Amino acid sequence: MAAVWICLLFGVLTCKAQLTNGVTGLLHMPSADMQRDGTLMIGGNFQNRHNLPNDFWWGYNSYNYFLNVTFFKRLEIAYVCTLLKGKKENSYWPAITYGKFVNQDRHFAARLQVLREGEWWKHMPAVVLGVSDPTTGAGFDYTDMAIEGNGNGYFNRMYLAMTKHFDVRVGELGVHAAWLYNRRTDYPLNGPAVGVNFKPAFHKELNLIAEYDSKTVNVGFTYSMWSDHFNLLFELQDGKYVSAGLVYKVNLIGGNRWKHWR
């Protein structure tokens, strides 16, 4: 916790989060925000055990790391790895691995922005379609979908997300709504998620977030440092379980080209 406050005091404070899952969004729930075209993100998170979907494989605090790229301002693709320990309760692991990080779960995630905010109509919210961990990833056969059951595809979900931002006197307010879906038995999803974020006018690099992710109510913040190259994330899942992460962000296209396309 002390490290968080040190960063707040000394950072040169615009991060869009859900980086606990390696993609743009809020804390856990998706949003329809997007990164700049050509943005590359490399990051990692401390994940409390309540933030992980399957107690058979996890049930303990862990870590993930990810690589994320945004193309054409509308398409975002991420590759996420979550570390696994050997568990005595799980016969898959030999005794030498018990209590040690010896493997990792790997999955892909993708987001497509169907509509940008204000496109076609000034009041139009941004709309994104997304998917996480869509296949079992068995070998190179990606035709075996992971929507159902409790096998591979632990982070599987599909979603539709909408976002609208409002300029208010004291800052910028973002309002977000989504519908999440899978038919998993280990962490079933089929319901709404709602959230808000607020960037105070006196310090817009600080992004305060509150959400209901269809399972729990979470609060936290993201904090942009060094001209948005580093982004810090801190959250309290269900108001009490800590997760935190750090992301390095760079734009591969460059500022001039971005300004021209925008």
Side-chain angles (χ1 to χ4, degrees):
M1 190 66 181
V4 173
W5 290 111
I6 290 171
C7 289
L8 285 173
L9 290 171
F10 292 99
V12 277
L13 288 177
T14 42
C15 173
K16 302 157 187 170
Q18 207 196 344
L19 298 176
T20 52
N21 296 315
V23 294
T24 302
L26 296 184
L27 297 170
H28 293 172
M29 72 164 283
S31 78
D33 286 322
M34 295 293 291
Q35 305 293 330
R36 296 193 305 169
D37 185 23
T39 296
L40 171 70
M41 297 191 295
I42 302 172
N45 297 280
F46 165 77
Q47 302 266 52
N48 81 76
R49 63 185 182 88
H50 302 277
N51 199 8
L52 296 165
N54 186 298
D55 283 344
F56 181 74
W57 290 104
W58 284 281
Y60 49 82
N61 298 332
S62 187
Y63 302 86
N64 70 7
Y65 61 96
F66 61 87
L67 176 68
N68 178 304
V69 182
T70 298
F71 304 92
F72 314 119
K73 295 190 285 189
R74 291 188 186 261
L75 177 64
E76 179 179 336
I77 297 175
Y79 180 64
V80 188
C81 297
T82 306
L83 302 186
L84 290 161
K85 287 182 180 180
K87 293 178 66 176
K88 186 176 182 180
E89 304 86 347
N90 184 337
S91 61
Y92 176 86
W93 303 106
I96 194 173
T97 67
Y98 293 167
K100 302 174 182 177
F101 287 112
V102 291
N103 207 337
Q104 57 190 359
D105 175 84
R106 297 170 290 274
H107 74 271
F108 286 95
R111 305 170 71 251
L112 176 66
Q113 190 175 58
V114 180
L115 290 171
R116 297 191 183 102
E117 193 168 342
E119 190 171 27
W120 295 347
W121 179 46
K122 67 178 181 179
H123 300 300
M124 178 69 70
V127 178
V128 158
L129 294 173
V131 63
S132 176
D133 209 356
T135 72
T136 65
F140 291 97
D141 182 5
Y142 288 95
T143 61
D144 190 4
M145 301 303 288
I147 299 170
E148 301 185 14
N150 61 0
N152 283 345
Y154 304 112
F155 295 91
N156 175 263
R157 64 177 178 173
M158 297 177 289
Y159 55 85
L160 169 69
M162 294 184 293
T163 290
K164 182 68 177 174
H165 294 94
F166 302 91
D167 289 325
V168 296
R169 180 176 299 180
V170 292
E172 180 187 88
L173 177 69
V175 179
H176 313 268
W179 191 276
L180 294 84
Y181 176 75
N182 68 23
R183 294 201 300 270
R184 302 282 302 179
T185 57
D186 47 3
Y187 71 107
L189 290 172
N190 186 12
V194 293
V196 295
N197 75 291
F198 176 71
K199 297 179 181 180
F202 68 89
H203 208 43
K204 288 187 177 180
E205 292 82 357
L206 175 62
N207 184 20
L208 305 172
I209 301 170
E211 66 177 22
Y212 169 69
D213 67 1
S214 85
K215 286 184 174 293
T216 58
V217 175
N218 315 305
V219 295
F221 64 84
T222 62
Y223 191 84
S224 175
M225 302 174 286
W226 192 29
S227 301
D228 200 33
H229 285 302
F230 285 97
N231 291 276
L232 174 72
L233 178 146
F234 177 84
E235 73 151 327
L236 291 174
Q237 183 182 12
D238 207 18
K240 52 188 173 182
Y241 304 115
V242 173
S243 289
L246 184 66
V247 179
Y248 174 71
K249 184 191 298 187
V250 63
N251 189 265
L252 303 178
I253 292 177
N256 291 335
R257 187 176 177 186
W258 160 247
K259 290 177 182 178
H260 174 72
W261 284 9
R262 190 175 184 184

